[in-house]
Amino acid sequence: MQLPVAPATELVVAPMTITPTKPPTPTHVKGLLWTDVLVKASARTGGVRLAWNNRMATVTTQATAFWHHLELTEPHTDWSRESETAIGERYVRFHGEHRTADRAAVGVRLVHADRDGWIHPAGLRMLRLWQAQLDPLGVGGLGLTTDRPLSVVMTVVSVHSIAAW
């Protein structure tokens, strides 16, 4: 059975997101730059929508276990003043110590991140620092700190995947 396919009216770009827990690696920067190029070039020929979604990166044990650790060990740190190197060093140290995550505490943060789009203040600081580094390169509008529920993105991707199939 052939499914009717409506003509595509826009390209949806839904890149893999980066966990905001450490400085970006060269691979991360390359991905951000290519995403920007793809969106800008595609916009010249037709409709394009960027569906950057931090929840893909923050609804992970990788991020939430680290953030739980920060809440326990540094509850009074002013994350808005920390450098990406200082946050990244904490992240490397945390994972280097091979801790067993508190499943209940991580679960609470996973639900909070999924339901509400919560990002720990250290993660928000990292995203803002990344954007400050991308601004001089002309990379804007990626929506690094924009909250989008997963269900909206998944619906968009699913509809376009079915149409392409």
Side-chain angles (χ1 to χ4, degrees):
M1 176 176 142
Q2 184 73 15
L3 294 174
V5 177
T9 57
E10 69 180 355
L11 171 68
V12 177
V13 178
M16 294 302 295
T17 53
I18 306 163
T19 306
T21 53
K22 59 201 166 297
T25 66
T27 301
H28 294 141
V29 173
K30 182 174 72 171
L32 293 167
L33 292 173
W34 275 115
T35 298
D36 184 62
V37 167
L38 178 61
V39 168
K40 287 177 179 173
S42 298
R44 293 176 160 264
T45 61
V48 64
R49 180 173 14 150
L50 176 63
W52 178 276
N53 193 322
N54 276 322
R55 291 187 194 195
M56 296 299 291
T58 59
V59 182
T60 64
T61 302
Q62 175 186 353
T64 55
F66 173 59
W67 293 338
H68 173 62
H69 168 73
L70 293 179
E71 289 172 348
L72 291 175
T73 59
E74 300 188 52
H76 304 294
T77 298
D78 179 1
W79 296 105
S80 68
R81 307 178 127 243
E82 293 292 317
S83 71
E84 67 180 358
T85 301
I87 296 169
E89 287 171 348
R90 289 173 174 96
Y91 176 78
V92 169
R93 199 168 38 251
F94 168 74
H95 282 288
E97 293 173 1
H98 304 290
R99 302 168 190 271
T100 301
D102 176 340
R103 288 179 184 249
V106 170
V108 167
R109 281 152 191 80
L110 286 170
V111 168
H112 191 29
D114 183 30
R115 185 188 61 222
D116 306 321
W118 173 79
I119 299 174
H120 186 276
L124 287 173
R125 171 66 173 163
M126 193 65 75
L127 291 170
R128 290 183 180 114
L129 290 167
W130 293 355
Q131 189 59 62
Q133 293 170 9
L134 292 169
D135 284 343
L137 300 174
V139 178
L142 292 180
L144 295 180
T145 59
T146 303
D147 177 44
R148 294 179 184 94
L150 282 177
S151 60
V152 172
V153 171
M154 296 309 286
T155 300
V156 169
V157 171
S158 297
V159 167
H160 287 283
S161 297
I162 291 168
W165 179 70

